[in-house]
Amino acid sequence: AMRLVVVGLNILGLGQTLTYRSKRSLLVPPMIVTENQRAPFPRPIGKSGNHIFRLTGPGADQDPKGLFIIDTDTGEVSVSRSLDREAIDSYKLEVSTTDFAGNLIDEPTLLLITVIDQNDNRPIFKETRYAGEVLEGSPTGTTVMRMTAFDADDPATDNAALRYNIVRQSPDKPSPNMFYIDAEKGDIVTVISPTLLDRETLPTTTYELEIVAKDMAGSEVGLTGTATATITITDENDHAPEFTHPLFEASVNEGSTGVVVNLTVDDRDDPATEAWRAIYSIINGDPTQSFEIQTNPDNNEGMLSVVKPLDYEATAFHTLLIKVENEDPLVPDVGYGPSATATVHVTVLDVNEGPVFFPDPLTVTKMENIPVGSFVASLNATDPDILQIQNIRYAVLRDPAGWLSVNPVRGTVNTSASLDRESPYVHDNKYTAVFIATDNGNPPATGTGTLVIHLEDYNDNAPYVVPSVARVCEDAHDMNVAIVGGRDKDLPPNGAPFKIELGKQPGIDKTWKVTRVNSTHSQIMLLHSLKKANYQLPLLITDSGVPPLFNNTEVKVQVCVCKKNKMHCSSAHSHRASLLVLLATLLLALLCKYHHTHNTQQQR
């Protein structure tokens, strides 16, 4: 420790005498004190001068209080307890002097106390384990990772000057010095040659290094810290996949699809990496794209599938050439060898196939109502099993209206009932039936074919009048017209235009008149007033077919009382609009008129 006496006294240890005048600042040299000092305390660290001395500032009368004390008489400054540089490395205090009356003699002056570092902190790694990786085959001197430790001591001194060293490598094969660490930077680099750094031949893919960091620039007295570095040797694609066999064999039933064989490969690269995962392709023998090959993600096998059904009669044997590659490209000095291809023999097994109809559907056009037993069509089914001699028999599978029969040997279809275009089983003029053909294979196989009969219309439906009830007003001057129309189940020209006329009843045309409105509708007109009642009006409707069909029908005409656009109609039974009714009505009217006239004349 150094003692300093100020104000006209010799400064011990410096060999200088400094004199001062009153009211001038003290000149106080900086003081130094070593951290971690031991008892006894207080320990003098220097003198400030004579008179009455006072010490103020952090470390004296401010927090941390009482670290430094000053002898009020001698000016000797002491430290009261052990210091820690890593907590506070310097203190700025003020020293002032007064006379015995308390008057300030000198202006306060700065006292700088510097704490000198001791090597009391060892290097510390932030983590206990570090992980790095290096690609196999990397050149000597490849940086793997950087190890960094921290030392809390003064970085300007050797107390925090760190040096790194590898003290253990596990395992120590093929060499105990596969890696080197840069003593100052902490960079771990490879020492092993690229050819020996081979993931597939090394005893392990992970190496553990014990790294020691030592301060004091690595000298004997330095403090140490330790951490573990785990280095993984990562895979590069330096091994091509190889088929386990040059030839694979498979068999498949004709007409079926799905996986037929699994192709196995070996690859020494790291499983579940792109360097190991296989990609398969068919490079020859599949011109029709009937096959497909995909990789099984679980075991890397190639799953060869039939995606288009094969035909035994066309080709009974297929030879495919399959290639295997990796998802990642191979390293430049490694190539795909002959084992990267394999041959697959696929044998197609014969299956008894059902007969095939041609054409399907078969469409024919026939007139409805042709005689029962008429020829309709000739079915044509052939058996795909051309290498076998097989017979085919025909049968009806679906005939909704029961109109058809088929010769089981020849396949000729005839009518067994009358064809009716207007049947509910006919849609859009088409009647559809399905037939079945069965071969005599073992077991027998079947095929189905559709027959569509396009039915032409025959005038076999008489027209009819709608509606069945019409209304007119009793007064011939009011709404005395009703509209009726014709309907026909037949197609033009066997339907409209319709001719609608009054039925054959004597004298009916004196009261009613039917006039054509258009090709389908006519109007019924009341020629003179009739009393409110319901009348059955006979009508004759005729279609335009050749020959035409006609229909005698009756329409209920309600003669109603019409007032203010409202029609009041009778709910009573209908009268026949016949000549007898008309004659009776006329006779009654004439009698009434005569009786009235006769009475008038008598009164005169």
Side-chain angles (χ1 to χ4, degrees), residues 253-255 312-313 349-355 383-386 388-392 438-447:
N253 286 336
E254 66 170 327
Y312 169 82
E313 285 73 29
L349 305 175
D350 189 23
V351 172
N352 186 30
E353 298 163 276
D383 197 302
D385 301 297
I386 55 175
Q388 304 174 30
I389 299 171
Q390 295 187 337
N391 296 322
I392 293 174
T438 307
D439 66 20
N440 60 342
N442 187 19
T446 59

Side-chain angles (χ1 to χ4, degrees), residues 24 45 65-66 101 125 131 150 260 268 294 333 434 474 497 527 533:
R24 291 192 181 174
I45 59 170
K65 290 181 180 177
F125 287 95
F150 171 74
V260 294
R268 295 174 62 194
Q294 291 182 320
D333 53 341
V434 180
E474 63 173 355
L527 297 176

Side-chain angles (χ1 to χ4, degrees), residues 327-363:
E327 288 185 11
D328 262 3
L330 294 170
V331 295
D333 53 341
V334 175
Y336 291 102
S339 296
T341 58
T343 303
V344 182
H345 286 166
V346 180
T347 303
V348 184
L349 305 175
D350 189 23
V351 172
N352 186 30
E353 298 163 276
V356 177
F357 284 83
F358 182 83
D360 188 26
L362 171 61
T363 303

Side-chain angles (χ1 to χ4, degrees), residues 20-33:
Y20 297 90
R21 291 178 187 168
S22 173
K23 290 291 184 183
R24 291 192 181 174
S25 295
L26 290 166
L27 188 64
V28 182
M31 297 181 184
I32 57 172
V33 58

